[in-house]
Amino acid sequence: MTVKRQPSRPTGNLSGTVTGETTQAMENLRAVLSEAGLDFSDVVQTWIFLTELTDFDTANAVYAEYFNEPYPARAMVQVAGLPKGARVEIEMVAKVR
């Protein structure tokens, strides 16, 4: 199962900070995983897209709060832009049990 989520709240608004956007994206992904009967331990790969690589440490700190060893494979890359002016977008692949 592959899911991609932007950091928008249910209202469609962004939080305005990298920490807030990363947290919201992870919570949005948690909801999708949960709906499928999965959790973050089922994630095998992630891609994190940032509009500024200077936000790496901030996004990485939030991301790390959601995973335990063994960590999924991950790529974090800079992109020219994201929809709705988001600073962060996260895509995950999870194994279905």
Side-chain angles (χ1 to χ4, degrees), residues 4-93:
K4 182 190 284 188
R5 285 293 175 259
Q6 284 192 294
S8 59
R9 296 176 179 154
T11 61
N13 297 327
L14 298 171
S15 75
T17 67
V18 173
T19 298
E21 287 187 19
T22 306
T23 300
Q24 189 62 56
M26 293 299 289
E27 290 300 320
N28 292 350
L29 288 160
R30 182 195 309 269
V32 172
L33 290 167
S34 178
E35 188 69 25
L38 305 172
D39 59 35
F40 287 114
S41 69
D42 297 302
V43 174
V44 295
Q45 185 163 4
T46 64
W47 294 268
I48 302 173
F49 305 97
L50 300 171
T51 57
E52 297 292 334
L53 279 181
T54 54
D55 294 327
F56 175 90
D57 289 337
T58 303
N60 192 53
V62 173
Y63 173 88
E65 294 175 14
Y66 289 84
F67 291 99
N68 297 308
E69 291 185 27
Y71 301 110
R74 179 187 73 177
M76 190 177 287
V77 297
Q78 183 175 4
V79 294
L82 292 168
K84 297 185 180 183
R87 297 175 186 171
V88 179
E89 183 172 284
I90 303 173
E91 182 174 341
M92 294 182 173
V93 174

